[in-house]
Amino acid sequence: MNIRFACPVCEHLCRLDLPGPTEWQCPACDHLVALHLPPEKDTLPACVLCGNTELYKKKDFPHWLGLTILTVACLGSIIPYYLYHQWWTWVILIGSALFDGLLYLWVGDVVVCYRCQAHYRGMPAGDEHKPFELGIAERYRQERLRRQQLQAAKKTP
């Protein structure tokens, strides 16, 4: 399993392979983080970096690429539709839907921590983690905003 995350202090993007060390030190700012390693090798009950137990599962696919495929298919179907070639219009639209379905089956999942946004790849398939929930994400977004406001208040005299 590998983890991609940002350093909690300097936001430097980093990668860590597990199983590995029990501590991690940022190469940019030398911040030291004690890792919360899972008791079993193939499970992830909590985030290794921050210890948060609320994790979600999503497809490991860039959203911008999916939207680009959809946009190209829609724009590409306009030309044959304008020229009254409805069969070609349907071929383009249904072909893009089939391509999207194949990508969905081919691409694996990634587990993400709501709090620190660490991405865990290479985990065994399972239903241990639920899909993204907006209410939980909003709670952690508000937590980040409050933390930033407190840090800004401490810096200003």
Side-chain angles (χ1 to χ4, degrees):
M1 169 178 15
N2 75 40
I3 309 168
R4 292 188 185 183
F5 60 97
C7 174
V9 174
C10 69
E11 300 287 323
H12 178 74
L13 295 178
C14 302
R15 180 179 172 183
L16 179 66
D17 291 321
L18 292 180
T22 58
E23 291 182 338
W24 173 81
Q25 188 167 9
C26 178
C29 69
D30 291 331
H31 178 69
L32 189 64
V33 176
L35 302 177
H36 310 279
L37 297 175
E40 297 177 21
K41 183 181 175 186
D42 292 338
T43 62
L44 186 65
C47 180
V48 173
L49 296 167
C50 67
N52 185 23
T53 58
E54 290 185 303
L55 308 169
Y56 67 92
K57 179 171 57 172
K58 71 175 189 171
K59 284 293 182 184
D60 193 11
F61 189 75
H63 293 261
W64 66 267
L65 183 56
L67 289 174
T68 302
I69 292 169
L70 174 68
T71 303
V72 168
C74 289
L75 291 175
S77 69
I78 290 173
I79 297 167
Y81 184 76
Y82 177 74
L83 298 173
Y84 296 104
H85 297 294
Q86 282 80 18
W87 284 105
W88 282 110
T89 302
W90 286 110
V91 165
I92 291 171
L93 292 174
I94 293 173
S96 68
L98 289 173
F99 180 68
D100 185 44
L102 288 173
L103 279 177
Y104 183 82
L105 294 174
W106 180 58
V107 173
D109 291 331
V110 62
V111 176
V112 182
C113 175
Y114 279 105
R115 178 173 287 143
C116 67
Q117 299 298 312
H119 287 63
Y120 296 86
R121 290 175 175 81
M123 295 204 34
D127 293 332
E128 181 180 347
H129 302 289
K130 304 289 184 222
F132 180 80
E133 290 185 30
L134 187 59
I136 297 171
E138 181 62 22
R139 186 174 71 227
Y140 285 103
R141 188 182 78 83
Q142 292 293 329
E143 177 185 298
R144 273 192 302 276
L145 290 173
R146 281 193 300 273
R147 197 176 314 120
Q148 288 171 355
Q149 288 173 347
L150 287 173
Q151 288 175 352
K154 286 180 183 178
K155 289 180 181 178
T156 56

